[in-house]
Amino acid sequence: AQKITQTQPGMFVQEKEAVTLDCTYDTSDQSYGLFWYKQPSSGEMIFLIYQGSYDEQNATEGRYSLNFQKARKSANLVISASQLGDSAMYFCAMREATGNQFYFGTGTSLTVIP
Amino acid sequence: KAGVTQTPRYLIKTRGQQVTLSCSPISGHRSVSWYQQTPGQGLQFLFEYFSETQRNKGNFPGRFSGRQFSNSRSEMNVSTLELGDSALYLCASSLGPPGASSYEQYFGPGTRLTVT
């Protein structure tokens, strides 16, 4: 089974609107971390936000927030007030505390329309 | 604090050759991971090193190998290159060791390898 599933290959959003990028995960660990990364066309992966499995509040970092629903095993990224510079690939990732590697989803390509 | 650096940034090799890619992690980071990224396969984990020891390995053939030095710098080597090895190779460093699920990875700019 896939550890991380991103079901939206591509998304479009109007500038200044909010957008939600979906991510579901699969783990039997109680302790794990969830991460979102942004990859612009330049290729470099940029860390955006982290959510720990024991965190009761949703993580926020500026315009980024992570909608964490533990029971549903989802960790959706919400970008508020989209900007043209937000156009990029977005990857959801997970790391389990049992010492294994980061698992990445297949990514969602976000295009912000002026 | 300087970010993760990778050298070279671009590389063109021919089939059958070997290649060595280098990665310098963020100062203080002891965990280094390598990934291969292609349009068809996405981001695939190659291996992770911590304190000079390989801690995790992805599902790649033995032609792909790596090592980590005492200063945490890491190299990966691909021998007998194949056309399918053309990809962006990303290195990432992390403060925490394997098992520390709260530590994010910071990525370098990548090495784009083209095999002809």
Side-chain angles (χ1 to χ4, degrees), chain B residues 62-77:
Chain B
R63 300 185 296 106
F64 292 81
S65 62
R67 59 178 175 168
Q68 187 181 34
F69 302 95
S70 58
N71 61 358
S72 295
R73 190 177 69 85
S74 178
E75 288 181 347
M76 68 162 281
N77 184 77

Side-chain angles (χ1 to χ4, degrees), chain A residues 2-6 23 35-38 45 90-95 101-107, chain B residues 33 35 41-45 90 92 105 107:
Chain A
Q2 292 288 334
K3 285 284 191 180
I4 297 287
T5 302
Q6 294 181 254
C23 172
F35 307 81
W36 277 91
Y37 287 85
K38 170 185 178 181
M45 296 277 277
Y90 288 81
F91 292 91
C92 178
M94 175 181 67
R95 181 163 186 155
Q101 74 267 23
F102 274 73
Y103 297 97
F104 283 84
T106 52
Chain B
S33 296
Y35 297 87
Q41 298 295 321
L43 201 65
Q44 293 189 285
F45 171 75
L90 292 165
Q105 289 186 327
F107 284 79

Side-chain angles (χ1 to χ4, degrees), chain A residues 31-35 37 39 41-47 49-53 89 91 95-106, chain B residues 4 9 31 33 35 37 42-43 45 48 55-58 88 90 94 96-110 112:
Chain A
S31 178
Y32 51 90
L34 298 158
F35 307 81
Y37 287 85
Q39 188 178 38
S41 56
S42 60
E44 188 162 353
M45 296 277 277
I46 302 166
F47 165 70
I49 195 167
Y50 159 80
Q51 177 85 43
S53 59
M89 282 290 288
F91 292 91
R95 181 163 186 155
E96 298 159 321
T98 48
N100 294 321
Q101 74 267 23
F102 274 73
Y103 297 97
F104 283 84
T106 52
Chain B
V4 179
R9 292 292 311 278
S31 177
S33 296
Y35 297 87
Q37 188 176 32
L43 201 65
F45 171 75
E48 178 176 20
R55 297 301 183 98
N56 292 297
K57 190 177 191 304
L88 179 67
L90 292 165
S94 176
S101 60
S102 62
Y103 291 103
E104 64 271 23
Q105 289 186 327
Y106 293 91
F107 284 79
R112 189 164 295 280

